[in-house]
């Protein structure tokens, strides 16, 4: 899903296996690789939204 989100924004990405075998029903660990020039844009797109700074600050 994260790979599809990046590709929708024109950032090529690929999923790489971390080389560890899955066990007891757990998924295999993986990483999402992007080009170094797209790294910061990808981090911003995939990071959680910050709560609004003004939320609750006016006591209303």
């Amino acid at each position: 899903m994260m790979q599809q989100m990046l590709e929708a924004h024109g950032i090529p990405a690929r999923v790489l296996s971390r080389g560890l075998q899955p066990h007891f029903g757990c998924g295999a660990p993986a990483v999402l690789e992007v080009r170094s020039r797209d790294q910061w844009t990808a981090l911003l797109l995939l990071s959680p939204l910050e709560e609004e700074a003004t939320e609750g600050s006016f006591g209303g």
Side-chain angles (χ1 to χ4, degrees), residues 15-59:
V15 178
L16 301 174
S17 173
R18 293 291 290 172
L20 301 173
Q21 297 298 320
H23 58 89
F24 299 113
C26 296
V31 295
L32 190 62
E33 182 180 67
V34 297
R35 298 179 298 198
S36 59
R37 69 181 182 199
D38 295 325
Q39 182 178 2
W40 287 111
T41 305
L43 287 172
L44 288 172
L45 286 170
L46 298 177
S47 65
L49 296 175
E50 293 183 25
E51 293 191 5
E52 292 185 32
T54 59
E55 184 178 326
S57 63
F58 293 109

